[in-house]
Amino acid sequence: MLEINEIFGPTIQGEGKRVGNPSVFVRFGKCNMQCPGFEVEYETPSGIKKCSCDSFYASDIAFRDEWKKYTSSESLIEEVSKYLPSYKADIVITGGEPLLYWQDQEFQNFLKYWIINNYSVTIETNGSIDIVLNQEWHKNIIFSLSVKLSNSGESLQKRINIKSLKTIIDFTTESYLKFVINKDFLPLASKEIEDILKQIPSCDVYVMPLGDTAEAIDKNSLSVIEFAIDKGFKYSDRLHIRVWNNKRGV
């Protein structure tokens, strides 16, 4: 069963390699991390106050009753197709953590449909889950590997899976790493990123400013830009937050 938190678009991709591209987003529910270190405060439907990432409504199963369940890829494809413009927009699979569904055949069927119909498909993932890539069409998936650093509040063992990163980068052609950092975390981020890069194949590396509001992004962006220039990384802004302040559905 595929549990979908929301489908929205067409909008623009706000970050990473495909930034600015018209896109339709499919946000899956469930995550294997909560990332309390990102300090986005929220309240569950039962009134419990927590801290997590800015997609808490998809990562926290306390919101599960709000997710729509699909038993077949066909029904989900039909629903997503309602959001498509007259041209081929990107399809962005996000979460939560969508790779929790990787072994589900309906998830595979859903991905394959868009790939074989020549859509650009990006999966936004934390890269911590072991997956098998053994289909020729898998090579065309862009994995946006948003690997979590210690500022997420998650343990090293839980957030870093070198085997998975190697598998994805070796098998696909356009996958890349993406790190969310803030100016106070830069010295430690530098060491943690360096440790990861030593263990995996070469790929593009993007760094982004932490923040769930335009004001927070502004506080971190210049320092992160300077960090990117110093390290030879690519800088990615977070346009969706600057424009819509993390409003859902845009």
Side-chain angles (χ1 to χ4, degrees):
M1 180 172 296
L2 306 178
E3 296 182 278
I4 305 299
N5 171 261
E6 60 181 343
I7 303 168
F8 61 94
T11 182
I12 60 163
Q13 170 61 274
E15 59 190 40
K17 183 174 285 190
R18 302 284 294 176
V19 66
N21 279 271
S23 304
V24 171
F25 283 75
V26 184
R27 187 182 299 280
F28 282 74
K30 290 192 300 188
C31 192
N32 61 327
M33 299 186 196
Q34 292 302 306
C35 300
F38 290 151
E39 298 182 345
V40 175
E41 297 182 357
Y42 69 97
E43 189 172 297
T44 68
S46 63
I48 299 173
K49 293 183 178 180
K50 297 182 179 180
C51 284
S52 184
C53 69
D54 53 16
S55 299
F56 57 85
Y57 46 85
S59 60
D60 192 335
I61 59 172
F63 293 89
R64 197 171 208 167
D65 289 344
E66 301 175 6
W67 305 343
K68 187 171 181 179
K69 281 73 173 176
Y70 293 84
T71 57
S72 72
S73 58
E74 289 83 2
S75 59
L76 181 54
I77 289 166
E78 182 179 354
E79 185 64 25
V80 172
S81 296
K82 296 176 182 177
Y83 294 80
L84 296 176
S86 58
Y87 52 86
K88 273 190 165 64
D90 287 6
I91 303 297
V92 182
I93 313 300
T94 187
E97 176 45 64
L99 293 190
L100 289 171
Y101 296 88
W102 185 260
Q103 296 186 52
D104 188 313
Q105 187 58 51
E106 295 305 318
F107 183 74
Q108 290 292 313
N109 294 342
F110 177 72
L111 294 176
K112 184 177 180 180
Y113 172 85
W114 302 109
I115 293 292
I116 66 175
N117 283 286
N118 298 313
Y119 284 84
S120 174
V121 175
T122 296
I123 297 180
E124 297 187 341
T125 171
N126 59 40
S128 68
I129 296 173
D130 285 328
I131 63 171
V132 174
L133 296 167
N134 56 12
Q135 302 296 315
E136 188 66 22
W137 59 269
H138 284 162
K139 294 180 179 179
N140 295 320
I141 301 172
I142 303 171
F143 288 86
S144 177
L145 297 161
S146 186
V147 178
K148 301 301 179 278
L149 302 175
S150 62
N151 61 337
S152 67
E154 296 286 359
S155 68
L156 177 65
Q157 184 178 11
K158 188 174 183 179
R159 58 187 170 78
I160 303 297
N161 185 336
I162 296 300
K163 176 186 174 184
S164 175
L165 299 179
K166 284 181 176 179
T167 296
I168 291 169
I169 295 169
D170 275 336
F171 196 84
T172 59
T173 57
E174 292 191 71
S175 298
Y176 61 96
L177 293 174
K178 186 174 66 177
F179 298 100
V180 176
I181 52 182
N182 56 297
K183 62 182 181 180
D184 296 330
F185 182 65
L186 288 173
L188 192 52
S190 178
K191 182 181 184 306
E192 292 183 11
I193 294 173
E194 183 179 332
D195 287 345
I196 294 169
L197 296 183
K198 286 178 181 177
Q199 302 178 71
I200 63 173
S202 177
C203 68
D204 287 336
V205 178
Y206 288 78
V207 289
M208 305 189 307
L210 177 67
D212 65 333
T213 65
E215 182 181 10
I217 294 291
D218 284 340
K219 289 179 180 179
N220 290 307
S221 57
L222 179 57
S223 296
V224 176
I225 288 170
E226 292 173 343
F227 176 74
I229 293 170
D230 181 57
K231 299 295 181 181
F233 300 149
K234 298 177 185 293
Y235 173 80
S236 170
D237 210 86
R238 308 183 78 189
L239 295 182
H240 54 300
I241 294 177
R242 286 200 187 276
V243 176
W244 293 293
N245 250 354
N246 206 37
K247 181 181 177 182
R248 292 177 64 180
V250 290

